[in-house]
């Protein structure tokens, strides 16, 4: 159950991140048109697709009920625990304290998020070879043992009936698991 919930959260966060640059562009266009930031957030809530619209609607509602912009956005980072969203919140907090050209900063952030997404997709494509290698290496000993059992069943009997055979099977399983773990660590690249 935990794995299923965790997977659904990851899927929703990924859908949010896929739409997030467009939401930032919508905010940039609204701010450049002269709308205040709160109104721009409300526009995203009304015009974007879910889950971005849902999350920004909650931010807009929290602001309407008395929260500050930064408080509402910090709660957004609790719901969508992704680095790109935290960048957005920190950047807006700094911009509100120091000032500056909000539309330019948001435009740059949108561009950075798009580049990070492109890099993640590129890494995923390059790592797919490593994943398939891990699967092949992990399945090969079992496939070979199955073939040997079909061809000559008595040949592997000592592995299952003697203490030394049990030890060899344990060591083999440990080495295979270690190999799969090492390959997964090599292809697990965080951006």
């Amino acid at each position: 159950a935990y794995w299923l919930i965790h997977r659904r959260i990851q899927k929703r966060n990924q859908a949010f991140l896929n739409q997030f640059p467009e939401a930032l562009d919508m905010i940039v266009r609204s701010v450049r048109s002269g709308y205040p930031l709160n109104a721009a957030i409300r526009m995203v809530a009304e015009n974007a697709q879910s889950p971005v619209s849902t999350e920004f609607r909650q931010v807009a509602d929290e602001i309407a009920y008395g929260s500050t912009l930064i408080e509402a956005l910090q709660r957004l980072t609790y719901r969508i625990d992704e680095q790109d969203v935290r960048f957005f919140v920190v950047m807006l907090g700094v911009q509100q304290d120091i000032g500056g050209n909000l539309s330019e900063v948001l435009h740059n952030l949108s561009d950075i998020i798009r580049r990070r997404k492109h890099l993640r997709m590129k890494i995923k494509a390059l790592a797919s070879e490593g994943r398939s290698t891990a699967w092949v290496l992990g399945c090969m000993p079992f496939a070979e043992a199955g073939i040997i059992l079909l061809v000559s069943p008595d040949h592997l009997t000592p592995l299952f009936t003697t203490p030394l055979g049990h030890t060899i099977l344990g060591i083999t399983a440990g080495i295979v698991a270690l190999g799969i773990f090492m390959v997964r660590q090599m292809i697990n690249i965080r951006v």
Side-chain angles (χ1 to χ4, degrees):
Y2 172 78
W3 180 83
L4 182 64
I5 292 170
H6 182 69
R7 179 74 184 131
R8 290 189 73 177
I9 289 171
Q10 281 183 327
K11 198 172 183 178
R12 186 171 191 274
N13 285 358
Q14 191 59 46
F16 183 92
L17 288 180
N18 288 339
Q19 299 169 9
F20 193 46
E22 285 77 24
L24 292 179
D25 290 342
M26 199 179 303
I27 293 172
V28 167
R29 287 190 300 273
S30 299
V31 169
R32 285 184 179 162
S33 298
Y35 288 96
L37 185 57
N38 294 354
I41 288 174
R42 177 62 71 182
M43 283 184 193
V44 171
E46 293 170 356
N47 298 316
Q49 297 176 345
S50 184
V52 168
S53 64
T54 307
E55 294 299 333
F56 274 85
R57 186 173 300 114
Q58 185 157 348
V59 169
D61 289 345
E62 289 177 12
I63 292 169
Y65 292 127
S67 293
T68 66
L69 174 67
I70 298 305
E71 290 171 349
L73 289 172
Q74 284 174 341
R75 282 190 283 279
L76 172 67
T77 63
Y78 298 138
R79 295 188 303 272
I80 306 291
D81 187 23
E82 294 290 337
Q83 190 173 16
D84 293 340
V85 178
R86 288 191 296 272
F87 283 157
F88 171 65
V89 173
V90 167
M91 184 271 316
L92 276 183
V94 169
Q95 196 278 335
Q96 288 216 334
D97 289 342
I98 296 173
N101 187 348
L102 177 62
S103 62
E104 186 65 31
V105 171
L106 288 174
H107 177 72
N108 290 340
L109 180 64
S110 172
D111 189 45
I112 289 170
I113 291 172
R114 280 190 177 89
R115 288 182 187 175
R116 285 170 46 90
K117 178 183 171 187
H118 180 69
L119 183 61
R120 277 193 294 267
M121 289 171 38
K122 200 174 202 178
I123 288 171
K124 186 176 180 180
L126 292 173
S128 65
E129 181 182 347
R131 276 192 292 279
S132 61
T133 300
W135 277 103
V136 168
L137 291 178
C139 293
M140 193 179 303
F142 302 108
E144 289 175 359
I147 291 171
I148 291 172
L149 281 174
L150 287 175
V151 173
S152 175
D154 295 336
H155 196 71
L156 293 180
T157 304
L159 287 176
F160 303 107
T161 58
T162 64
L164 179 61
H166 294 162
T167 304
I168 290 172
L169 282 176
I171 291 172
T172 303
I175 289 173
V176 168
L178 179 65
I180 291 171
F181 174 76
M182 288 177 65
V183 170
R184 286 188 59 89
Q185 290 301 313
M186 286 191 294
I187 62 173
N188 187 16
I189 301 169
R190 299 277 304 170
V191 179

